[in-house]
Amino acid sequence: MQPFTFEGFEKAFILNNPSFHQRKAIKGVAELDNHPFNKVMYDKRFPIFRLPKPEPDTILAVFLFYISKLLNEHRIRTAVLYQTTYNILPRFSGNVRFVDIYVIYLKRFEAWMLEHEYSTTTVGIYTRCLRAAFNEAIFQGIIKRENCYPFGRRLYQPLSSWNIKKALTLEDVIKIYYYQPENERERKAKDFWLFSYLANGINPTDIMHLKYRNIDGDYLVFERANTVNSTRLDPRPITVFISEDMQRIINYWENKDKRPENYIFPWIEHNATPLRQVELCELFVQAINDWMRKIGKKLGIEKSVSTYVARHTFSTIMKRSGVSTEYIQESLGHTSIKTTESYLDSFGKTIKKEYASRLTAFKI
């Protein structure tokens, strides 16, 4: 080994080797008993920490470690997603070792989930989580990629679903814009749906985490909460011009204490734990979506009118206005243009008919 270290030697040749008596488990799993998030307030959301620890060279042991790692990084939503995957794996085949997970296993797992009426999107998410666990096991030195890695070209590739486009038309946005709310809850829902639409499709979590220090003159400058880790070496702040309509919404709902570190909208408690922040964001989204559903029904809008739709609507209307995909990518804060393209609605039949007629525009 160059350079030689006892830690590296142990990881490569002794740890999880059945020829040796194991004196410790996977790095990190042994410390789960003292995990800082294994407290009463986390018990309901993460019950897996109360269960007996799995065998160290199994898939569930690595999942447990990875969830612990995510919690330490305050990535609560992602941890919940991996816990859901952790819960479903034993239902399929129990806990298994990495060497027992091969291409046929993954294809059977996929077929089993589809038979149990999981959507292709969900199947893709769970198998991508499984792939991440394999990569973590490789990093930990539990397995070697060349020996039993079942993912990749000509091996197993997680399902990709057909993305149903969710954007509203500009006519629907006009209906929402001029709608007169009948109560304060409707006003709050309408205002923050429009705020998301006008502010580059900003998602509710980022709205709630906006601070006064994010205001730079006539602009909001912020980083998306769910890309902070992936763009750590290449920060990509989003810059949004504060329009007159956005300023009106800020003026009505803002925190009156405008110190730089205070939230613009005072719905996250000071010193709130990461879990509590997630819970408050979920309540915020649920309230907006519930009341926007009622508003959409009153306005005769057949599509969903959720906060997620506001983001898709921003990107699609920008596209229809002739804005480049690269600009939309920057506005949404995507690291990949493929992600941006998945947000963009396809052209409607009327537009396709119009474009098709241009092919023979020379006809008299």
Side-chain angles (χ1 to χ4, degrees), residues 208-235:
M208 292 190 70
H209 283 88
L210 288 174
K211 295 184 176 182
Y212 280 104
R213 61 177 169 80
N214 295 120
I215 297 178
D216 183 9
D218 293 332
Y219 296 87
L220 279 175
V221 182
F222 64 95
E223 287 186 60
R224 291 186 62 198
N226 65 347
T227 61
V228 168
N229 287 287
S230 60
T231 59
R232 184 182 300 273
L233 299 179
D234 182 21

Side-chain angles (χ1 to χ4, degrees), residues 69-250:
K69 178 180 175 181
L70 291 169
L71 291 174
N72 275 313
E73 295 172 357
H74 296 173
R75 298 164 63 186
I76 309 299
R77 294 179 188 277
T78 308
V80 170
L81 178 61
Y82 277 81
Q83 178 182 253
T84 306
T85 310
Y86 178 99
N87 293 337
I88 194 175
L89 282 168
R91 291 175 51 200
F92 169 63
S93 62
N95 190 15
V96 295
R97 299 169 64 220
F98 281 93
V99 294
D100 298 321
I101 300 177
Y102 39 88
V103 175
I104 296 300
Y105 173 97
L106 293 169
K107 289 183 176 179
R108 287 175 178 168
F109 182 44
E110 175 187 301
W112 179 85
M113 285 190 286
L114 293 173
E115 287 173 4
H116 285 75
E117 300 183 351
Y118 288 91
S119 69
T120 55
T121 300
T122 301
V123 174
I125 290 171
Y126 289 167
T127 49
R128 280 190 287 274
C129 288
L130 195 51
R131 183 175 61 189
F134 259 88
N135 292 332
E136 182 64 34
I138 292 169
F139 177 76
Q140 290 284 341
I142 299 167
I143 58 173
K144 293 184 181 297
R145 178 180 290 271
E146 60 271 20
N147 291 343
C148 61
Y149 192 69
F151 297 92
R153 190 178 179 184
R154 297 184 180 179
L155 295 173
Y156 179 82
Q157 294 180 314
L159 281 177
S160 295
S161 63
W162 176 57
N163 188 23
I164 300 175
K165 307 305 181 182
K166 303 173 176 65
L168 301 182
T169 64
L170 187 58
E171 290 72 20
D172 288 334
V173 175
I174 292 171
K175 290 179 183 179
I176 295 171
Y177 182 87
Y178 287 108
Y179 174 74
Q180 295 299 316
E182 297 178 1
N183 55 58
E184 195 73 354
R185 292 179 179 178
E186 281 194 352
R187 176 167 185 169
K188 181 178 179 180
K190 174 194 167 183
D191 277 356
F192 284 100
W193 192 96
L194 285 174
F195 191 91
S196 174
Y197 168 72
L198 296 169
N200 292 15
I202 182 174
N203 66 44
T205 298
D206 290 329
I207 290 176
M208 292 190 70
H209 283 88
L210 288 174
K211 295 184 176 182
Y212 280 104
R213 61 177 169 80
N214 295 120
I215 297 178
D216 183 9
D218 293 332
Y219 296 87
L220 279 175
V221 182
F222 64 95
E223 287 186 60
R224 291 186 62 198
N226 65 347
T227 61
V228 168
N229 287 287
S230 60
T231 59
R232 184 182 300 273
L233 299 179
D234 182 21
R236 300 188 180 189
I238 297 173
T239 302
V240 180
F241 173 71
I242 303 175
S243 66
E244 183 179 335
D245 289 302
M246 288 175 59
Q247 188 63 58
R248 174 186 56 78
I249 294 169
I250 291 173

